[in-house]
Amino acid sequence: MPVHDCRTTMERTFRSVFEQTMPAGQIEIIAVDDGSADGSGEELDRLAAGRSGFTVVHQPPSGGPGRPRNVGIERATGEYVFFLDADDYLGPEALERCCAMADRNASDVVVPKYVGVGRKVNPYLFRKTVESTTIYDEVPNLYGSITALKLYRRSLLEQHRIRFPEKVLSGEDQAFAVRAYFEAKVVSVLADYDCYYWVDRQDGSSALQKGGAPAADYFPEIERLMAFVADRTEPGPVRERLMRRHFSVEVFSRFDPRYQAFSPEERRATRDGARRLLELWGTPEIMAQLTPYMRVLGHALRAGLDDLVDEVALAQAEDRAPVVVEDDAAFVAYPGFRDEALGIPDEVFEARGRLPVQRALTGMEWRDGRLLVRARAIVAKAGEGGRKQELVLRRRDGGEQHRVPFRPERPGDVPADEFVAEIDFTDAPPVPGRWDAQVVIAVEDVTQEGRLVAAEGVEPPEPRIAAVRDGRPLVKPYLTKGVGALALHVGGRKTETAPATPAEVTSGTSGTLRIGSTLAAALPSGDGAPTKVRVLLRHRGSGEVRATAATVEPVPGGLDVSAEVDLRGARWGTWDASYEVTVGAASGEFRVPFAAGDGEAPGALRGPRPFSGSGGDLSVKVGNSVISRLRRVLPGRSQ
């Protein structure tokens, strides 16, 4: 752990290490104080006092995290090395899981799942755990993460003398991680546990947040890194894929809004550094796969149009490059677009079938038997002419789709970029399965499609009984794990609890129970899809079923269901209660929710006694409770 002026965040970081589920004796902590001036060094000494296996190294400031990390590697004695920054923290099982994966697969590198705290982490990166892969495999995209914050087999680092560049404020971890990827025989991806919580400082004081290393230090390191990649790959798809990442993330990122705060000298050094890398490795094949912004910058840099570079960067920072749509093509009109004096080809500005779309799920609710979906769905800076938006539901296993147009909820009452779609399950209802929601936006003949990812704070509504084509009549909206995109689970699980208020259960005439609750439903009015409900009691031992037709009354947002269940003469033992719900041709069972708490409810010795099981669902005990307890200790007695 490199530490430099992290006094306010260190305690949480180290606590996450102290609280690991891996035995403390198997964890060696090496913290290197790199000339801190805020008391971090003294705090390290305090934290380490009395803890075996906790080493603190104090050294003068070295100008970046490379030197303290290298010092840590030299002192490490463990089988594995894991790098943790003093702003960040670990999930409790992170080290145990990473080491277990490395042990299981003989992995040289394990990529943990990252969680952004105050920063964005690409939700599409490493969505699945992969036991074994290499840098040459396109999926998973290991090059999507070339930070050093991973688990490494220490023998790999020693055998190939993999170390960090020193005296560089940023960019040093890419060189380290890329070398490790190439030398590793096996890389594993652990994506099913939140391992590493990656924190952005709220005060924006980190070196990267301030703009990173100066161009004079930064670009030579990136050049060495790209030269290494070129040396280890043949011309072709693999090299293009890896170099494309370096141009996208390491080179053109230097022209993000931070570029506007650079001094004239730093801007000049940035342009010169990027220009050299473009001349070395910016092939037409690589450039064609970059964004219009990067292609325009690349063209201007190669042509020596430095003033145009600055104009384009400013337009990007101020978000004022309009989109021009003509027939089946779209262009981002940065400065220089169709300037006859410059003569830059239109294809440099072309969006290549990918419109600059902004889309987000902004709300959901059930309304009048329909699922209402609110979304922001616009083409940034494009005109209104010929534009349309659709919500498309696609069944995950393929073959079927539902298309629903977006419209203003109330004309003039919502922002021009926000729309609603109403999914009516009574009109060509879906079949059971999982359905993913996509937004399709078309401007003229150019179409863009993408997942509908929820905006911050948006939660899906509760499931509803609804008309489906067959199977169980249930629709459950949810957000996909990791990505947070809207999806629907139609049919649900076989043992699912009914979407209903907890049942009210009272004693009726001798040997009967009155059961009633309100089912949450999104159903058509009138006789379009008649709904029937039966209360089923299933004996836990024999499987015998007693069925009672329920009275069903429509109410706003659902159905009031009530039934009097006759248990006179019923077999002694436990009976589990379910609703059998039939909507049109679809039918399914759902457990009845009950909120009486665990254990038997009070009642007559010989009467049916409702109780709530471990799952919070209704069950009924039938028989003399005293005799039932005696039977547990007197085997051989039977009904």
Side-chain angles (χ1 to χ4, degrees), residues 141-196:
N141 177 24
L142 291 179
Y143 240 49
S145 170
I146 55 176
T147 172
L149 307 173
K150 300 172 174 59
L151 183 86
Y152 302 86
R153 190 174 295 275
R154 191 166 64 87
S155 60
L156 174 83
L157 307 183
E158 296 303 333
Q159 178 184 350
H160 299 283
R161 292 302 297 170
I162 301 174
R163 294 295 188 268
F164 291 89
E166 298 186 4
K167 299 182 180 180
V168 180
L169 277 174
S170 63
E172 83 295 332
D173 51 350
Q174 289 98 322
F176 184 94
V178 169
R179 278 205 63 199
Y181 276 155
F182 271 97
E183 304 296 356
K185 292 184 174 66
V186 175
V187 179
S188 299
V189 176
L190 200 164
D192 54 4
Y193 180 75
D194 294 344
C195 291
Y196 196 104

Side-chain angles (χ1 to χ4, degrees), residues 539 541-542 544 546 567 569-575 622-623 639:
H539 191 266
S542 68
E544 177 188 344
R546 288 194 167 212
L567 287 165
R571 184 188 297 270
W572 285 12
T574 299
W575 296 74
V622 174
Q639 174 72 18

Side-chain angles (χ1 to χ4, degrees), residues 68-87:
R69 284 175 175 163
N70 288 340
V71 169
I73 296 172
E74 296 296 339
R75 290 188 174 237
T77 61
E79 184 175 2
Y80 302 111
V81 171
F82 192 106
F83 295 103
L84 173 64
D85 281 351
D87 296 332

Side-chain angles (χ1 to χ4, degrees), residues 354-422:
R354 295 193 61 81
L355 294 168
V357 169
Q358 298 174 5
R359 55 179 176 269
L361 177 67
T362 58
M364 280 182 289
E365 64 181 89
W366 293 101
R367 180 188 294 180
D368 301 329
R370 298 173 174 85
L371 179 62
L372 187 144
V373 177
R374 290 187 179 87
R376 183 169 57 252
I378 63 170
V379 178
K381 302 176 289 299
E384 297 292 323
R387 186 177 76 173
K388 66 177 182 179
Q389 301 92 347
E390 278 188 309
L391 177 69
V392 180
L393 296 176
R394 287 196 171 88
R395 196 176 179 197
R396 196 166 292 176
D397 58 4
E400 293 197 47
Q401 65 180 20
H402 288 270
R403 306 183 78 92
V404 184
F406 277 109
R407 58 169 177 76
E409 185 173 9
R410 290 176 295 273
D413 195 36
V414 294
D417 61 349
E418 193 163 286
F419 301 88
V420 297
E422 289 186 339

Side-chain angles (χ1 to χ4, degrees), residues 1 6-19 43 46-47 84-90 117 197-202:
M1 294 177 56
C6 298
R7 176 69 178 79
T8 58
T9 62
M10 284 168 44
E11 185 171 350
R12 177 179 61 183
T13 302
F14 281 100
R15 186 170 64 249
S16 77
V17 179
F18 300 154
E19 295 175 353
E43 179 66 7
R46 184 188 71 80
L47 290 168
L84 173 64
D85 281 351
D87 296 332
D88 306 331
Y89 56 98
L90 300 175
V117 180
Y197 290 82
W198 205 351
V199 182
D200 246 8
R201 294 189 187 182
Q202 293 184 353

Side-chain angles (χ1 to χ4, degrees), residues 615-626:
D617 298 323
L618 174 63
S619 296
V620 179
K621 185 80 72 176
V622 174
N624 187 302
S625 59
V626 175

Side-chain angles (χ1 to χ4, degrees), residues 110 140 191 214 216 260 302-303 306 371 455:
V110 176
Q260 301 307 312
R302 281 183 145 166
D306 287 7
L371 179 62

